[in-house]
Amino acid sequence: MAGSMPLTIALSKGRILDETLPLFAAAGIVPSEDPESSRKLVLPTSRPGVSLMIVRASDVPTYVQWGAADVGVAGKDVLLEHGGVGLYQPVDLGVARCRMSVATKRGYDWSGTVQRGARIRVATKYVKTAREHFAQKGMHVDVIGLYGSMELAPLVGLADVIVDLVSTGNTLRANDLVAVEDIAPISSRLIVNPGALKLKRTAMQPLIDALAKAARP
Ligand code: ATP
Ligand code: PRP
């Protein structure tokens, strides 16, 4: 599959790795050692010439966009925030599914706030996506950027609402928050550097096709 051209795949540890490695295995690519326990950031695989690069989830699009990795797997949330410039997104892998939502404290008068056109504070790590979402709704917001634990923000008065990912809803429930609006369904996508695809199509196209076949509908 790799031919004479080396192929580099950017993945992030945790959820994406857990849910994506079986898909890569179905495509005939298995890392030479366990990426979760290894301290190595570049790992050879069972396929000669194909290596895995382990990066932060939010850094995957950057590595692929700049051609440091040929392909990668990133959540739609990360891609929305990145903007997707300089990337193809040929396959929805259907893994790490959740939704990006607006959430408030239970009892907060969300529809009243929207109707009044009140200015609100929004805490999120998805600053750009949140700004765009509320701008489209014609709402005036101050967006406060956080790196995690967004659920805390409404509880301590840092923000009126949060924009975060929701899957089971357990995190919201545990913090007495409720989702009041969905922004986008989220799953992980295969992303590809367009220049690399042109140069290495014979190596990359079979991988894209195999992953499309292995993807969860
Ligand atoms: P970083 O290291 O950049 O902070 P992270 O902590 O967001 O990354 P993960 O929590 O592993 O990394 O999330 C990786 C991706 O998994 C997210 O970008 C999103 O697409 C998806 N994801 C996050 N939370 C959930 C969830 N609760 N259920 C399903 N998918 C999720
Ligand atoms: C994600 C997200 C929510 C939680 C939602 O966090 O940021 O906090 O999952 O999932 P739930 O609806 O099933 O509770 P994660 O567990 O990945 O931790 P993180 O904040 O370190 O990313």
Side-chain angles (χ1 to χ4, degrees):
M1 185 189 285
S4 55
M5 297 265 204
L7 207 62
T8 315
I9 303 166
L11 295 176
S12 56
K13 282 191 186 187
R15 199 172 264 120
I16 294 219
L17 201 59
D18 292 348
E19 300 197 30
T20 307
L21 281 185
L23 306 184
F24 278 95
I29 293 172
V30 178
S32 58
E33 55 187 288
D34 180 7
E36 280 304 342
S37 53
S38 175
R39 300 293 298 172
K40 279 191 190 164
L41 298 176
V42 181
L43 296 168
T45 70
S46 53
R47 180 84 55 168
V50 177
S51 52
L52 296 187
M53 255 175 55
I54 305 300
V55 304
R56 283 284 293 266
S58 45
D59 289 336
V60 171
T62 307
Y63 278 89
V64 177
Q65 174 190 6
W66 290 93
D70 300 304
V71 304
V73 175
K76 187 71 190 174
D77 52 323
V78 165
L79 291 167
L80 287 171
E81 194 63 15
H82 171 270
V85 177
L87 297 171
Y88 289 155
Q89 300 181 30
V91 185
D92 180 353
L93 295 169
V95 297
R97 284 179 195 270
C98 52
R99 55 192 198 278
M100 189 184 287
S101 303
V102 180
T104 66
K105 272 207 285 194
R106 187 179 301 283
Y108 182 91
D109 180 15
W110 174 243
S111 56
T113 303
V114 174
Q115 272 164 22
R116 280 198 310 280
R119 191 177 188 99
I120 55 163
R121 284 202 309 233
V122 181
T124 186
K125 69 174 172 186
Y126 304 106
V127 169
K128 175 172 165 279
T129 314
R131 229 176 241 136
E132 284 169 4
H133 173 75
F134 290 110
Q136 264 176 23
K137 285 173 67 79
M139 286 181 73
H140 298 288
V141 299
D142 293 309
V143 178
I144 299 172
L146 293 175
Y147 291 101
S149 303
M150 271 80 80
E151 292 84 0
L152 183 61
L155 307 183
V156 297
L158 177 63
D160 303 292
V161 310
I162 60 169
V163 168
D164 196 6
L165 302 180
V166 182
S167 173
T168 60
N170 286 342
T171 310
L172 291 184
R173 266 190 298 279
N175 293 291
D176 214 20
L177 302 173
V178 286
V180 289
E181 202 167 282
D182 281 343
I183 296 180
I186 302 295
S187 56
S188 290
R189 316 292 161 113
L190 182 71
I191 58 172
V192 171
N193 177 283
L197 182 59
K198 223 172 175 180
L199 206 67
K200 308 182 185 181
R201 189 177 282 278
T202 47
M204 286 169 73
Q205 195 61 53
L207 172 63
I208 295 170
D209 294 344
L211 288 170
K213 218 171 139 199
R216 300 221 196 116

